[in-house]
Amino acid sequence: AQSVTQLDSQVPVFEEAPVELRCNYSSSVSVYLFWYVQYPNQGLQLLLKYLSGSTLVKGINGFEAEFNKSQTSFHLRKPSVHISDTAEYFCAVRPTSGTYKYIFGTGTRLKVLA
Amino acid sequence: DTAVSQTPKYLVTQMGNDKSIKCEQNLGHDTMYWYKQDSKKFLKIMFSYNNKELIINETVPNRFSPKSPDKAHLNLHINSLELGDSAVYFCASSQKGGEPQHFGDGTRLSIL
């Protein structure tokens, strides 16, 4: 079975400051990893994904994430945030074979302050 | 052109009623999902269909019944609605391999 832990339920940060949202996962099989963003009253949109290859992946809106297999982490970073980045962020994993089941973390609310 | 569309967007109804939510995807994906998001934003998978076949059925009350008439559609019927059913229900679809899920905008269900 897989599990995803997002330890920070809320992260306040000032505009133009850097931010890191943490994601750790547990799995006995290899997984694909994803970060999604949810703006108020909207569905989830894909920010970026790690399937294989380079452990540093770049996504939309200036976000990037680094896959660390030894620490089973997939932290999301942005060097300079904007007010418009205020949203809920979800980390998710899915086994590379077998089940189609995606496991989501509990989400991190990023609040960007002026 | 919306990739995953759900109807209705809002649903307000009384306890004990029966209601349905419809979902359609035009991405050509083989797999579709229903999720429930509670007031704390926790996203819980309910069901998944692959090519009209049920492949994931989580611990969900049997008042909830999914139906997939074809691989582009996955509907959710809920009988005897209860207060605890109030939530946002999301439909999603995906393809094989590393393809991520694509989500609809959600159906906000409120039980009075």
Side-chain angles (χ1 to χ4, degrees), chain B residues 46-47 60-66 76-79 85 89:
Chain B
M46 300 172 71
F47 303 102
V60 177
N62 56 15
R63 298 182 294 105
F64 290 79
S65 52
L76 182 66
H77 187 76
I78 316 170
N79 288 326
D85 298 332
Y89 292 85

Side-chain angles (χ1 to χ4, degrees), chain A residues 11-26:
Chain A
V11 173
V13 63
F14 285 104
E15 196 173 16
E16 297 182 11
V19 71
E20 179 180 83
L21 306 183
R22 297 181 293 167
C23 172
N24 287 86
Y25 70 94
S26 171

Side-chain angles (χ1 to χ4, degrees), chain B residues 2-7 22-26 91 103-105:
Chain B
T2 306
V4 181
S5 59
Q6 297 179 228
T7 53
K22 295 187 175 184
C23 179
E24 176 182 4
Q25 55 97 2
N26 62 8
C91 177
F103 283 80
D105 284 339

Side-chain angles (χ1 to χ4, degrees), chain A residues 76-98:
Chain A
L76 181 71
R77 301 185 186 102
K78 185 169 183 179
S80 174
V81 295
H82 303 291
I83 296 285
S84 60
D85 292 323
T86 294
E88 194 84 23
Y89 291 79
F90 292 92
C91 181
V93 302
R94 204 206 93 177
T96 58
S97 62

Side-chain angles (χ1 to χ4, degrees), chain B residues 11-96:
Chain B
L11 192 49
V12 181
T13 190
Q14 304 266 6
M15 245 177 26
N17 284 351
D18 303 338
K19 290 292 177 187
S20 291
I21 307 171
K22 295 187 175 184
C23 179
E24 176 182 4
Q25 55 97 2
N26 62 8
L27 297 165
H29 288 167
D30 289 329
T31 309
M32 296 185 72
Y33 308 77
W34 277 112
Y35 287 89
K36 179 181 180 181
Q37 187 176 48
D38 62 23
S39 57
K40 294 184 178 178
K41 302 290 186 183
F42 181 64
L43 203 61
K44 179 181 162 62
I45 190 166
M46 300 172 71
F47 303 102
S48 179
Y49 272 74
N50 179 253
N51 274 324
K52 302 194 296 175
E53 182 185 346
L54 181 66
I55 57 170
I56 296 174
N57 186 353
E58 292 295 287
T59 308
V60 177
N62 56 15
R63 298 182 294 105
F64 290 79
S65 52
K67 197 161 284 187
S68 182
D70 55 63
K71 75 173 194 177
H73 295 84
L74 180 62
N75 304 323
L76 182 66
H77 187 76
I78 316 170
N79 288 326
S80 304
L81 281 157
E82 300 177 357
L83 287 175
D85 298 332
S86 293
V88 182
Y89 292 85
F90 285 101
C91 177
S93 71
S94 73
Q95 193 59 302
K96 294 179 184 177

Side-chain angles (χ1 to χ4, degrees), chain A:
Chain A
Q2 294 78 43
S3 66
V4 177
T5 302
Q6 292 181 248
L7 286 172
D8 306 306
S9 59
Q10 288 191 71
V11 173
V13 63
F14 285 104
E15 196 173 16
E16 297 182 11
V19 71
E20 179 180 83
L21 306 183
R22 297 181 293 167
C23 172
N24 287 86
Y25 70 94
S26 171
S27 178
S28 57
V29 298
S30 60
V31 293
Y32 299 127
L33 298 112
F34 308 89
W35 273 101
Y36 287 85
V37 60
Q38 184 180 27
Y39 299 106
N41 298 318
Q42 292 186 28
L44 280 72
Q45 301 172 32
L46 181 72
L47 271 179
L48 48 79
K49 61 184 179 183
Y50 174 78
L51 305 184
S52 65
S54 172
T55 56
L56 182 65
V57 291
K58 294 190 183 297
I60 62 171
N61 301 341
F63 283 94
E64 64 180 32
E66 184 149 24
F67 171 54
N68 187 319
K69 190 173 182 179
S70 62
Q71 296 186 4
T72 60
S73 67
F74 190 53
H75 301 331
L76 181 71
R77 301 185 186 102
K78 185 169 183 179
S80 174
V81 295
H82 303 291
I83 296 285
S84 60
D85 292 323
T86 294
E88 194 84 23
Y89 291 79
F90 292 92
C91 181
V93 302
R94 204 206 93 177
T96 58
S97 62
T99 178
Y100 291 82
K101 190 173 177 179
Y102 291 73
I103 306 298
F104 283 82
T106 49
T108 297
R109 171 106 179 122
L110 174 64
K111 186 167 176 63
V112 181
L113 309 166

